[in-house]
Amino acid sequence: MFKGISKRWMLNTLSVILTIIILIVVSLIFVVTYLFQNSVEQSLSAASSELSLVFSGFASESSTSFTSSARDYVENFDKKEQMAVMVINSSGRVIMTSTGFNPSDKEEIPDFEEAKSNERGYASWSGKLDTGESAMSETRIITNGNGTVVGAVRYIVSMDPVNGAIMIFSLILIALGIVIISLVILSGIMFIRSIVKPIRELSQTADKIAHGDFSASEKIEYKYDDEIGDLCDAVSDMALDLQTAEQMKNDFISRVSHELRTPLTAIKGWAETMQLSERGTLDRRTFDRGMGVIIKESTRLTSIVEELLDFSRIQSGRMVLMNEKLDILAEFDETVYFLKDRAVSEGKHLLYDEPEAVYPPVYGDKNRLKQVFLNILDNALKYTPKGGVVAAQVIYSKDEPDIIKIVITDSGCGIAAEDLPKVKEKFYKANQTVRGSGIGLAVADEIMNLHNGSLNIESGEGVGTTVTLTFPIHKEGEEQNMPENIKL
């Protein structure tokens, strides 16, 4: 029945609470016992202290005179209902009692002998009488003017009523302790259930989510707005994120499969055409066209595979940077030049004027940076319609002397506001109608991060998109902190 959190609560918290309550109850029983017994002792002491007044003038050595004085004291004793009084002669024999019944001669009076040997002249005793009755007594010695013991007065109280009262109070305290323990256990069990039950349900839900049943998160219910409620919200959000990621992954696999199948189909088709054609019957123009398609689609396949490999390296932390001091203008200009012919063939305008000024160098991997430039410019051209403009510029100003910016702006379809924060996430693809795997921006963003730079995107749907690449300029000595070959 009890396991996990319930078991730990039983062994730790409940055991401590039980120990504390038991100690409190036992301590209170001892206190009550002490108070009752001390009250009896105080009553006996108060009664015996009166003897100093009653026999203060007693000077006779005669036992008859002592007996007469003692009889008068006993007859006039006003606390007969609370305690009994015994008059004892010098030899220790009871000669008179307030009850009128003398105890058995066999009954010992230990407090009389102790009082005689005590310098204070009195002693107390508690125990059982020969009748089996519990009692407490105090004996005070009476001496004459010469200091000779002429007798004693013994006060005795039955402890059975007191012990009965102590028992009643003890039972009340024990019952109260049991009630408190029961309430603690009941409240503890209810509290533990309020924690354990939703956690078990969450565990079962998490297991279903782990096996792909993301709809299980919709059945999560919680009654309290506390940490358990926060955990329920977190599991629901996790399930939603996992469902989104799973859908994005499936879409990614579908897109990549399509991206790979299209060039492979073209390559296979032209290769079969060229193979099946009789030698010498395939004209040069058709042959060149087929070879051009094969080369173009092979290059496209290589690009897709490299993009996938780069993504895999980033995910596993195995991307290697070959860092060196380089001229960012030269690398960017080379990339723009590479895409000029494509822009012209697609009827689009790629505008870029290389600055005449000499800019400070940056420190990084030129091939990876070219990959970033190519990805951003490729996206800009893909999403820009025929007749549209893609403009690029490199900016370095005295206002920001530690960085160089490359700004690429297109007049394409733009990105919706709800898609903009996600476009750099892996597998995410805002526009499903345009070719692409959806991981290019994620790879480019990671490469920029590895260069201590940044990739920022601003866009408006139907307006166009502006991408800003920011690079820290190289300072002498920085290469000591960034080795030539970095494995990240």
Side-chain angles (χ1 to χ4, degrees), residues 111-412:
D111 44 323
F112 173 72
E113 299 298 332
E114 185 180 346
K116 287 198 302 182
S117 62
N118 193 328
E119 294 180 356
R120 297 175 296 177
Y122 67 89
S124 299
W125 170 86
S126 63
K128 288 185 178 294
L129 302 175
D130 290 345
T131 59
E133 183 181 7
S134 296
M136 180 181 291
S137 66
E138 183 172 311
T139 301
R140 189 174 290 270
I141 300 297
I142 307 298
T143 60
N144 59 18
N146 298 325
T148 302
V149 176
V150 295
V153 177
R154 186 188 194 200
Y155 301 88
I156 186 166
V157 175
S158 174
M159 293 298 292
D160 285 347
V162 176
N163 291 337
I166 292 174
M167 180 61 69
I168 292 173
F169 273 96
S170 298
L171 291 175
I172 291 174
L173 290 173
I174 292 172
L176 184 61
I178 292 173
V179 170
I180 293 174
I181 291 173
S182 300
L183 291 175
V184 169
I185 293 175
L186 182 61
S187 63
I189 291 175
M190 293 177 64
F191 177 70
I192 291 298
R193 284 181 177 176
S194 69
I195 294 176
V196 172
K197 184 178 179 180
I199 287 180
R200 285 176 180 169
E201 292 177 353
L202 281 176
S203 178
Q204 295 172 357
T205 301
D207 184 64
K208 292 179 181 178
I209 293 173
H211 287 83
D213 183 11
F214 301 110
S215 62
S217 62
E218 299 175 0
K219 302 177 182 179
I220 296 177
E221 297 181 359
Y222 57 94
K223 300 179 180 179
Y224 307 106
D225 186 15
D226 53 11
E227 287 80 0
I228 299 296
D230 294 340
L231 182 59
C232 292
D233 289 337
V235 172
S236 297
D237 293 341
M238 178 192 70
L240 181 61
D241 292 341
L242 288 174
Q243 185 175 11
T244 302
E246 182 72 14
Q247 184 61 43
M248 290 171 60
K249 184 187 72 174
N250 293 336
D251 292 342
F252 167 76
I253 293 173
S254 176
R255 286 195 303 271
V256 169
S257 299
H258 178 75
E259 290 290 323
L260 292 174
R261 184 170 60 249
T262 301
L264 284 174
T265 301
I267 292 172
K268 181 181 179 182
W270 276 103
E272 289 176 347
T273 299
M274 297 171 68
Q275 183 183 40
L276 294 175
S277 300
E278 296 181 7
R279 178 171 295 185
T281 61
L282 191 66
D283 61 276
R284 185 67 186 183
R285 182 179 178 183
T286 304
F287 177 83
D288 290 342
R289 181 185 177 188
M291 290 301 297
V293 171
I294 291 174
I295 293 172
K296 178 183 177 182
E297 297 301 327
S298 297
T299 302
R300 183 179 169 188
L301 274 177
T302 301
S303 175
I304 295 173
V305 172
E306 284 296 327
E307 195 175 64
L308 292 173
L309 289 175
D310 285 340
F311 179 74
S312 175
R313 294 186 190 106
I314 290 173
Q315 290 295 101
S316 60
R318 294 182 294 106
M319 175 165 279
V320 178
L321 296 182
M322 306 298 292
N323 289 310
E324 60 181 321
K325 189 164 61 173
L326 52 88
D327 182 359
I328 197 72
L329 286 174
E331 306 304 330
F332 186 67
D333 180 70
E334 186 176 331
T335 307
V336 173
Y337 181 78
F338 176 76
L339 293 172
K340 279 282 189 181
D341 291 339
R342 171 187 162 184
V344 172
S345 64
E346 294 178 356
K348 303 170 186 178
H349 305 283
L350 179 56
L351 306 179
Y352 170 68
D353 293 325
E354 183 178 357
E356 296 181 357
V358 178
Y359 285 177
V362 300
Y363 196 67
D365 186 329
K366 64 180 181 179
N367 291 324
R368 293 299 179 188
L369 292 181
K370 282 184 179 179
Q371 181 179 347
V372 173
F373 301 152
L374 187 61
N375 181 277
I376 302 303
L377 289 170
D378 177 72
N379 281 342
L381 289 171
K382 277 194 303 184
Y383 292 100
T384 299
K386 186 175 182 180
V389 177
V390 176
Q393 58 178 330
V394 181
I395 302 173
Y396 177 71
S397 66
K398 295 181 179 179
D399 295 334
E400 297 178 303
D402 296 328
I403 59 173
I404 294 177
K405 292 182 179 180
I406 295 179
V407 181
I408 300 170
T409 303
D410 65 62
S411 58

Side-chain angles (χ1 to χ4, degrees), residues 32-47:
V32 169
T33 302
Y34 170 78
L35 290 176
F36 273 91
Q37 292 180 348
N38 185 66
S39 176
V40 175
E41 292 177 358
Q42 293 293 330
S43 298
L44 291 172
S45 297

Side-chain angles (χ1 to χ4, degrees), residues 423-435:
V423 291
K424 292 192 289 184
E425 295 179 4
K426 58 183 179 181
F427 307 143
Y428 192 83
K429 195 168 187 292
N431 192 330
Q432 303 293 333
T433 62
V434 181
R435 64 177 177 83

Side-chain angles (χ1 to χ4, degrees), residues 77-134:
F77 186 64
D78 59 353
K79 298 180 180 179
K80 294 179 181 180
E81 295 182 358
Q82 301 177 16
M83 63 186 72
V85 181
M86 296 179 179
V87 179
I88 305 171
N89 61 19
S90 59
S91 61
R93 182 173 175 272
V94 178
I95 59 175
M96 187 186 306
T97 66
S98 61
T99 61
F101 299 97
N102 291 342
S104 172
D105 293 336
K106 296 181 180 180
E107 184 172 326
E108 298 181 354
I109 307 176
D111 44 323
F112 173 72
E113 299 298 332
E114 185 180 346
K116 287 198 302 182
S117 62
N118 193 328
E119 294 180 356
R120 297 175 296 177
Y122 67 89
S124 299
W125 170 86
S126 63
K128 288 185 178 294
L129 302 175
D130 290 345
T131 59
E133 183 181 7
S134 296

